[in-house]
DNA sequence: GAAATAAGTGTTTACTTTACACTTGTATTT
DNA sequence: AAATACAAGTGTAAAGTAAACACTTATTTC
């Protein structure tokens, strides 16, 4: 079956490493784990796994995220391939993906099983291999993506308040945003629906809940307009 | 040497495919070749090669571009990994890179050797496997990059006229740009140096040559300002 | 010296972004 | 029940950026 052409070519271990992101306490968090085996046993690591034969790389990434979070239907995007030699005892070519999940849906029993924890992106420890670089590139990519696509909502529950949404963007861009300008912009796109209930957890007055309405977003796009924060 | 941990993991063929871009006759061109072997023999293909053991993926891409163009010191950036199953007779995971080269430096003898040719990006034939998708993603990435980084100059000779530079950006964005606004913007950054000579090939009046001065660009950045077209 | 042709040049208008401070609603305290 | 504390919620003006637009200039060719 294998063509003669491939006979003398090298084969490589190929892994996926996933930057699994969640949002909690006004900050982006990343799921990291203590590596349970050599090399680099005990070092902080992203969630990863090997790509199998007969499995697309995208599917492998999806499998890994589901395995470590218990969450399905996840928003993911490829960050890129990292293929320096000496990444590992044997060279592994790794393809990084970031995933945006609703941290509330996270199956916490898996955290114990894999010795995994959510760490604030501003307080990440040094990670093994080139994982810190992967995170850096991810944040960069996320900043550019979140500015023009409504992907931030994947990090929130179905209902969220505008103060929460704003703090999400502040955490992504790592800078403060003016409250009035932010509200003006997000509401002017008319892609959110205001609920009747308020969230009273973080203020006495309470903040109204909103929902992202995909149909309204599709409409916006159809009009030749764009999402932009 | 190989850790016991890797014993049962699958290994994969990993290739690099390069979207080698040049600029000529007011249009972006891509170097493509008739594939000389099965599978897909005779189909139009990007320039590619396999990643060797003990070679970083970046180095493999660099090696491939040098092999097919004869040009060294090339501006390259990774586009991403393409890892669907059934890409090939056996599955090959491919990592795409785009390269921006000065088409005048191209070693044309290599074109015959590899049955390669420069094709206008607007007139690309259907390419094999997912190569057409790679080109599409590249153009997308290039549009975003060229808007904020002075990478377009890699496609030009050291001296170029403003009409040429403008037509380069028009070809990248695939839309017309206003002449006065373009000049205002590019000149206001003060990153170009005007020469005394003119290019008289495309007009009687002649257009002054300019050069991109990296030191001026670095200065711009140091001032907290940004390149932007 | 007239014609042809691409290079080169400024200003006005519209739009987008930024800066900025007070009022409102509600739970808690006195 | 009045006062307090606190985050939510609201509008306008100024500055900056982007977009639209048409004529003059330099040079070769006829």
């Amino acid at each position: 079956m294998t063509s003669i052409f491939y006979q003398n070519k090298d084969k490589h271990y190929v892994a996926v490493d996933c930057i699994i992101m969640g949002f909690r306490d006004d900050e982006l968090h990343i799921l990291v784990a203590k590596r349970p085996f050599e090399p680099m046993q005990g070092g902080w690591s992203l969630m990863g796994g090997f790509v199998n034969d007969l499995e697309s790389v995208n599917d492998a990434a999806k499998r890994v995220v589901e395995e470590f979070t218990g969450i399905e239907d996840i928003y993911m995007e490829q960050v890129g391939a990292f293929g320096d030699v000496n990444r590992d005892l044997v060279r592994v070519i790794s393809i990084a993906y970031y995933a945006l999940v609703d941290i509330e849906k996270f199956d916490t029993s898996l955290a114990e099983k894999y010795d995994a924890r959510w760490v604030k992106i501003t307080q990440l420890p040094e990670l093994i291999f080139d994982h810190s670089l992967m995170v850096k590139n991810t944040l960069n990519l996320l900043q550019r993506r979140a500015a023009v696509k409504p992907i931030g909502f994947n990090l929130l529950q179905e209902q969220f308040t505008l103060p929460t949404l704003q703090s999400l963007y502040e955490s992504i861009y790592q800078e403060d945003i003016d409250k009035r300008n932010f509200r003006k912009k997000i509401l002017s796109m008319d892609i959110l629906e205001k609920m009747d209930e308020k969230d009273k957890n973080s203020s006495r007055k309470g903040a109204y809940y909103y929902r992202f309405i995909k149909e309204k977003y599709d409409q916006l796009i159809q009009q030749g307009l764009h999402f932009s924060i």
Side-chain angles (χ1 to χ4, degrees), chain A:
Chain A
M1 171 69 193
T2 301
S3 156
I4 197 164
F5 171 66
Y6 294 101
Q7 266 178 11
N8 59 337
K9 305 300 175 190
D10 299 326
K11 295 187 94 170
H12 307 264
Y13 293 112
V14 179
V16 290
D17 284 309
C18 298
I19 298 91
I20 303 175
M21 308 186 109
F23 183 68
R24 189 167 71 187
D25 304 332
D26 290 342
E27 277 225 58
L28 281 178
H29 287 63
I30 291 178
L31 192 64
V32 295
K34 274 250 172 79
R35 191 173 226 240
F37 41 73
E38 291 296 342
M40 292 286 176
Q41 182 161 16
W44 289 107
S45 148
L46 293 171
M47 314 313 280
F50 283 86
V51 176
N52 301 324
D53 274 347
L54 308 172
E55 179 188 47
S56 78
V57 180
N58 283 341
D59 285 348
K62 205 166 184 175
R63 171 172 58 75
V64 165
V65 176
E66 287 182 12
E67 180 184 346
F68 288 111
T69 63
I71 307 174
E72 290 182 33
D73 287 328
I74 287 167
Y75 179 84
M76 298 188 68
E77 185 181 353
Q78 189 189 117
V79 177
F82 293 74
D84 281 355
V85 285
N86 292 327
R87 275 193 79 251
D88 215 320
L89 266 183
V90 259
R91 190 265 284 273
V92 174
I93 293 169
S94 177
I95 300 168
Y97 286 77
Y98 74 88
L100 306 182
V101 308
D102 174 359
I103 210 168
E104 301 294 326
K105 291 189 187 147
F106 177 64
D107 180 345
T108 48
S109 71
L110 293 168
E112 290 164 40
K113 181 169 169 196
Y114 295 113
D115 202 1
R117 27 202 283 209
W118 291 100
V119 178
K120 288 183 183 176
I121 197 166
T122 55
Q123 289 169 23
L124 273 191
E126 191 63 28
L127 304 180
I128 62 169
F129 304 138
D130 37 14
H131 289 196
S132 290
L133 177 61
M134 292 176 184
V135 172
K136 188 175 157 239
N137 288 7
T138 294
L139 187 60
N140 222 275
L141 180 58
L142 180 60
Q143 288 173 344
R144 283 180 286 118
R145 280 287 183 278
V148 298
K149 301 256 157 161
I151 60 174
F153 303 110
N154 292 293
L155 289 160
L156 303 175
Q157 294 173 257
E158 202 173 332
Q159 296 199 129
F160 49 84
T161 67
L162 292 188
T164 298
L165 185 63
Q166 178 175 345
S167 79
L168 168 61
Y169 278 96
E170 287 174 333
S171 181
I172 291 174
Y173 299 141
Q174 307 204 146
E175 65 182 34
D176 290 347
I177 303 174
D178 179 273
K179 187 166 48 159
R180 282 169 287 190
N181 293 339
F182 177 79
R183 285 167 165 266
K184 214 185 313 169
K185 209 164 187 178
I186 192 87
L187 292 176
S188 72
M189 287 186 270
D190 191 32
I191 56 175
L192 301 185
E193 186 171 279
K194 189 180 185 177
M195 308 284 97
D196 292 328
E197 312 93 70
K198 284 178 163 186
D199 168 22
K200 298 234 177 139
N201 293 314
S202 52
S203 80
R204 289 166 182 174
K205 182 176 181 179
Y208 282 105
Y209 281 116
Y210 286 78
R211 261 171 223 264
F212 170 66
I213 309 292
K214 177 146 191 338
E215 290 69 31
K216 289 188 163 199
Y217 170 69
D218 292 340
Q219 228 172 293
L220 182 82
I221 299 305
Q222 257 188 327
Q223 291 165 36
L225 302 175
H226 295 288
F227 179 91
S228 157
I229 288 290

